[in-house]
């Protein structure tokens, strides 16, 4: 399952630079995407799909994940307090 897509854009023009980073929920989905999509043709262009060595999450994804973790922690505290 896809968790995030980061389409890289030119800072000056805002146009796509022709590549993106896709974050998957689990490693298995990532491996399947690399194996099955690499070399595929989309709109006349061949896709090159590979793993990235050091992927940095975009700031909005980090913020979202931190918020979700905090909400989960608060929910756990409510359950403990209710018991």
């Amino acid at each position: 399952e896809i968790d995030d897509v980061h389409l890289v854009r030119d800072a000056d023009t805002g146009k796509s630079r022709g590549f993106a980073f896709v974050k998957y929920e689990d490693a298995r989905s990532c491996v399947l995407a690399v194996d099955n999509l690499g070399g595929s043709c989309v709109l006349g262009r061949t896709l090159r799909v590979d793993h990235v060595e050091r992927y940095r999450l975009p700031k909005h994804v980090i913020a979202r994940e931190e918020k979700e973790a905090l909400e989960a922690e608060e929910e756990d505290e409510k359950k403990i307090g209710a018991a």
Side-chain angles (χ1 to χ4, degrees):
E1 300 293 319
I2 293 176
D3 191 38
D4 183 63
V5 176
H6 178 79
L7 179 64
V8 180
R9 297 186 176 275
D10 182 273
D12 296 328
T13 66
K15 291 184 180 181
S16 169
R17 291 187 49 202
F19 64 98
F21 294 95
V22 180
K23 179 181 180 281
Y24 289 88
E25 288 182 5
D26 55 67
R28 182 177 179 269
S29 296
C30 180
V31 170
L32 288 171
V34 170
D35 290 347
N36 293 313
L37 295 174
S40 298
C41 197
V42 176
L43 299 173
R45 297 184 68 179
T46 302
L47 298 181
R48 189 178 80 196
V49 183
D50 205 346
H51 300 278
V52 66
E53 287 289 323
R54 296 173 59 182
Y55 178 66
R56 290 186 326 236
L57 288 172
K59 291 177 185 176
H60 74 279
V61 175
I62 293 171
R64 182 184 71 216
E65 289 183 353
E66 288 174 350
K67 179 182 176 190
E68 289 171 355
L70 181 61
E71 289 172 351
E73 188 176 304
E74 289 172 352
E75 187 65 30
D76 289 344
E77 289 175 1
K78 286 181 186 177
K79 289 179 185 176
I80 292 171

